[in-house]
Amino acid sequence: MPSAPLTALPWIWLSLLLALCLQVMPLAEGWQVWRPDWLGLMLIYWCMAAPDRVGVLHGFVLGILLDLIEGATLGQNALALSLLAFLSALVYPRFRAYSLLQQSLLILVLLGLSQLTEQWLRTLFGPFSMHLSFLLPSLIGAVLWPWLATMFRAMERRLAGVD
């Protein structure tokens, strides 16, 4: 992944806000379960690509925005995304050495833990039936990871002028 000085902060925030828009985009009934966790994927990517610029605070701010947009209990998504950013920072040194397939498996675990935390909080704050379909966005995110990571690395190199 490119070094952090090559990564401009506006580009980071633009991609995170685009992921937020994709996360809350309305879908037909029954299709919501197939939506990847776009915000989680982008947060993990930037925590790995620019760990000195993106961290837990970004996860918290984006989580609060997601809570406000979705009308969820304030802090629910903020806690889940902050935890995701923290875990990403925790595994960062090893993550960069892994192949794309190994990274995808780690993404599955990270997003799965985030989804599990979110579901646990939903059960605490109201009647909510939990079944294993809540893990589908994590699985889809893990499948999309190699494509997403490769695309963003290429875009960063192009923006930086390195060919």
Side-chain angles (χ1 to χ4, degrees):
M1 290 185 198
S3 62
L6 298 177
T7 307
L9 208 52
W11 168 242
I12 293 172
W13 274 108
L14 179 67
S15 63
L16 287 170
L17 290 176
L18 176 65
L20 179 66
C21 290
L22 287 172
Q23 189 74 28
V24 298
M25 180 179 64
L27 292 175
E29 188 65 34
W31 284 91
Q32 291 92 353
V33 73
W34 298 100
R35 179 196 328 257
D37 187 3
W38 292 111
L39 198 51
L41 280 170
M42 289 309 310
L43 186 63
I44 292 171
Y45 178 80
W46 287 118
C47 283
M48 299 299 173
D52 57 334
R53 292 182 178 224
V54 179
V56 176
L57 180 65
H58 289 78
F60 182 78
V61 169
L62 290 166
I64 290 289
L65 287 173
L66 189 59
D67 287 333
L68 292 172
I69 292 170
E70 288 182 343
T73 304
L74 196 60
Q76 173 183 316
N77 288 308
L79 178 64
L81 288 175
S82 297
L83 177 68
L84 183 62
F86 173 75
L87 292 174
S88 298
L90 199 61
V91 299
Y92 162 74
R94 282 174 268 157
F95 188 85
R96 293 173 62 103
Y98 291 159
S99 69
L100 281 176
L101 179 62
Q102 291 170 322
Q103 287 179 5
S104 292
L105 291 174
L106 188 56
I107 294 297
L108 176 64
V109 171
L110 290 173
L111 289 176
L113 286 172
S114 175
Q115 294 291 325
L116 188 62
T117 303
E118 195 175 316
Q119 292 299 321
W120 175 68
L121 289 170
R122 285 184 183 165
T123 58
L124 285 178
F125 294 120
F128 188 78
S129 64
M130 189 163 83
H131 43 85
L132 287 179
S133 67
F134 75 90
L135 288 174
L136 271 176
S138 304
L139 182 61
I140 294 170
V143 169
L144 287 175
W145 177 257
W147 172 77
L148 185 75
T150 304
M151 181 186 74
F152 265 87
R153 283 185 206 137
M155 287 173 76
E156 280 188 82
R157 278 194 298 269
R158 177 160 270 183
L159 286 172
V162 178
D163 289 322

